[in-house]
Amino acid sequence: MPPPDRSRQLNLQQRSTLAGEAAAAAAEVETALVTPSDSTSAAFFDVDNTVMQGASIFHLARGLHRRDFFTTRDILGAAWKQAYFRVVGVEDPEHVAQARNSALSFIAGHTVAELEELGEEIFDEAMAHRIWPGTRALAQLHLDQGQRVWLVTAAPIEIATIIARRLGLTGAMGTVSEHVDGVYTGLLVGDMLHGPAKAEAIKALAAREGLDLAACSAYSDSFNDLPMLSLVGDPVAINPDARLRVHARAQGWRVRDYRTGRKAARAGLVVGAVTGAVSGSVAAAVALRRRR
């Protein structure tokens, strides 16, 4: 096997850093409105299967499709690029770029105001009843202690902000899509806020807000979020996949599971099947194709 391409690894690190910095900057409006009594501690929550059952971008995509925001062909095209990248595109820089940007390419040409307005409606009809009460209670506990609470998710920053606001949280950091004069270009700023990019976002926010990461908490269901979980002093596994459950127990981390026994067992068997916003777009494509 040939050695890994150092320049490509560096490029990935740069994109993750840019994505994290963009997500932290987008959270500035929300944080500016909050004056915490505990200014050095905070909590960071993943969204999909941690705060909310299922993938938020799946619910968003399905709701947008019902409102003719995009066609079935659009999302199937995005899903195909993702699948091609996973199977044969790893060594092709052109396909890497296509796969990276196709996750949210179907919003190109639409306005930020459109997505935000429809996102409010879709939250009410498809997301609000899927919030895990246990995780919501944990977030409220941090708020009651005077700490700020941010969502950190691969979902678009627009929908992440809506979820945070509806739950009464401080703010959100999510994938930032490029837009010019309020119209989406179909490209991402840096990369998706996934894996290492989440850790970069938290570090950027912590530096700006004067947070002591050793006094902060982070919550996630996914082994892919180890960079974020390992960054704080109090990592917690919520509804964990099999790999995260094993790792959390080995490290002595707290584990909370709000699923029924059957759902938890099934989740362990299909770990990795739907991960973050990329997999959410594939799941949405499959569901829409079945409907047709």
Side-chain angles (χ1 to χ4, degrees):
M1 179 180 296
D5 189 329
R6 180 63 179 171
S7 63
R8 183 171 300 162
Q9 290 180 341
L10 181 60
N11 196 341
L12 177 60
Q13 292 173 356
Q14 291 172 335
R15 292 200 310 270
S16 295
T17 300
L18 180 57
E21 291 175 347
E28 186 168 0
V29 173
E30 286 76 31
T31 61
L33 301 177
V34 179
T35 304
S37 58
D38 183 352
S39 61
T40 60
S41 301
F44 303 96
F45 285 79
D46 170 53
V47 173
D48 297 346
N49 293 317
T50 302
V51 169
M52 183 176 69
Q53 183 179 4
S56 53
I57 199 170
F58 167 78
H59 302 303
L60 175 65
R62 185 170 60 178
L64 292 176
H65 180 264
R66 288 174 174 171
R67 291 163 172 80
D68 298 322
F69 196 83
F70 56 84
T71 67
T72 302
R73 182 178 180 179
D74 291 333
I75 197 167
L76 286 176
W80 161 247
K81 291 177 183 178
Q82 295 298 330
Y84 188 92
F85 168 64
R86 287 173 178 268
V87 176
V88 298
V90 176
E91 298 300 328
D92 188 334
E94 180 179 353
H95 285 297
V96 170
Q98 288 179 352
R100 185 174 68 249
N101 290 314
S102 67
L104 296 174
S105 62
F106 54 79
I107 66 176
H110 291 280
T111 67
V112 175
E114 281 182 279
L115 185 59
E116 291 176 342
E117 180 180 356
L118 294 179
E120 295 279 358
E121 297 177 7
I122 294 168
F123 176 84
D124 287 331
E125 72 182 29
M127 300 182 187
H129 65 282
R130 289 185 166 90
I131 301 297
W132 294 108
T135 308
R136 178 69 187 88
L138 289 172
Q140 187 60 50
L141 181 62
H142 285 283
L143 293 172
D144 292 343
Q145 293 173 344
Q147 300 175 2
R148 287 169 286 181
V149 178
W150 282 280
L151 300 181
V152 189
T153 175
I157 182 62
E158 292 80 6
I159 192 63
T161 300
I162 291 171
I163 297 172
R165 184 170 62 249
R166 292 299 191 90
L167 297 182
L169 308 181
T170 307
M173 295 183 285
T175 297
V176 178
S177 296
E178 180 185 80
H179 53 84
V180 178
D181 297 328
V183 179
Y184 291 111
T185 65
L187 302 178
L188 303 182
V189 177
D191 213 331
M192 299 189 70
L193 198 69
H194 181 264
K198 287 187 178 182
E200 294 295 338
I202 291 174
K203 286 191 288 187
L205 187 69
R208 191 184 75 207
E209 300 295 327
L211 298 175
D212 177 7
L213 289 176
C216 292
S217 302
Y219 300 80
S220 178
D221 72 299
S222 175
F223 186 81
N224 292 323
D225 282 341
L226 275 187
M228 174 180 80
L229 293 169
S230 302
L231 195 63
V232 300
D234 178 35
V236 185
I238 302 289
N239 304 328
D241 60 35
R243 294 174 68 193
L244 179 58
R245 184 182 295 274
V246 171
H247 185 86
R249 287 176 173 172
Q251 297 296 319
W253 295 354
R254 285 185 291 152
V255 177
R256 298 288 183 271
D257 202 324
Y258 302 119
R259 302 165 295 187
T260 64
R262 180 178 298 177
K263 287 182 179 178
R266 185 167 63 246
L269 292 175
V270 299
V271 57
V274 179
T275 303
V278 174
S279 299
S281 66
V282 175
V286 172
L288 294 174
R289 182 167 53 186
R290 286 176 178 170
R291 287 178 58 205
R292 290 177 64 87

